Amino acid sequence: MNKVIFTADDFGVIPSVNAGITDLVNRGLINSVEIFTNYHKTVENVHQLLNDTHGANFELGAHLTITSGRPISGASGLDAILDEGSFKPFNKTNSRATDEAIYTEIKAQIDRIMDVPEFRDRITHITCHHDALWFFPEYTKQLARVSKEYNFPVRNPRSYPSKRDKLYYTVVLPLLKTFSFTREDVSLLKDAYKLRKDGYFPNQNLNFRAPDYMDSRHYGPIPGKVISPYDKADWILKKQKSLTKMLRKAGNSGGKDEDQLIEFMFHFRKGKLDGGFKTFKEEMDELDYAGINHKYFDSRTIEFESLRFYEEKIKALIGTKFELGSWTDSSVKTLKKKNVDWAEEVVKGKAGRGKKARKVRPREA
């Protein structure tokens, strides 16, 4: 029988997000909570989560970020991805932070909560905000490095639906970065994704522990979508279709010899729909934590209402179609070595195929 992890991202900063996650943990619908650790109230907010969930069984993950809030390590090699002391947003980040600075920062973010004795036994894994540590291979190496040091599994970059994953890496991000990002880094981003999709990694084997895949189809709608209270029921019904597909896929081994470990990824917020986003923007401005888009807040609210609405249906399937899983059930994944000279060519899917290689500036240290 397949196992499923129900994950809630982005805990620790926004009170209404924290409230939504706490509510769903108490309902037994969430068994993994991803924590921003680079916020000044992180430790206080995690203590509150543990107090408010009254011994509920769930795991904690360090939600590593290089695209939100401020760094906590003081590493000087991060300057290239900072703007006035804060991390640049995900559509403006770049590959020019030093490897050691990335390593030092993400290690500091893990240690921020690992150093709290009450948290330590619950922390089992690491994930990444915006998947930004998978954007560029040198950053990914540092993610794998800390994963090995702590013996923590990571979120699998293999995502369903695969067309959404492809859209994010090869269309959405490059389009956003066209106006704020170097052409070379756009090429690096897109072609690193294509290598990874085919099971390869540039110039070395990359081993990491992870679930078999992540299902993100419950996520959304897209940012900026105004959802009125009158439309809420319709949107929850739309979410039912996504949730049904997720549950059906998780409940079907697909003819595989071995059971799979699957992560369901969600973003929640408990509260009223805002419509014009004015209230949401004011909330974020007061928190002084950049990198979380307030225009997603209506969709976060719908995700919360959807899971709560289908609570009994989900619980009825646990133990019959699939079991609740743990990050500790993760297995080793390998991206195979592919010899690539990033200074000379950008690999397009499977190298060659008659397409002219584009010249790429060597990555700066």
Side-chain angles (χ1 to χ4, degrees), residues 271-304:
K272 296 180 179 179
L273 297 167
D274 183 43
F277 308 118
K278 179 181 178 181
T279 303
F280 298 159
K281 186 178 186 307
E282 290 173 351
E283 182 178 5
M284 289 308 304
D285 289 344
E286 289 177 4
L287 293 172
D288 189 28
Y289 187 91
I292 302 177
N293 190 346
H294 67 278
K295 292 183 179 179
Y296 271 113
F297 280 20
D298 270 354
S299 66
R300 288 175 182 264
T301 304
I302 291 297
E303 285 202 58
F304 169 79

Side-chain angles (χ1 to χ4, degrees), residues 22-50:
T22 301
D23 185 311
L24 295 173
V25 167
N26 278 326
R27 292 173 184 271
L29 293 171
I30 292 297
N31 64 336
S32 176
V33 176
E34 312 311 300
I35 303 165
F36 282 125
T37 71
N38 66 332
Y39 185 56
H40 68 278
K41 289 188 176 181
T42 287
V43 172
E44 175 186 335
N45 289 336
V46 177
H47 274 301
Q48 192 66 50
L49 171 68
L50 297 182

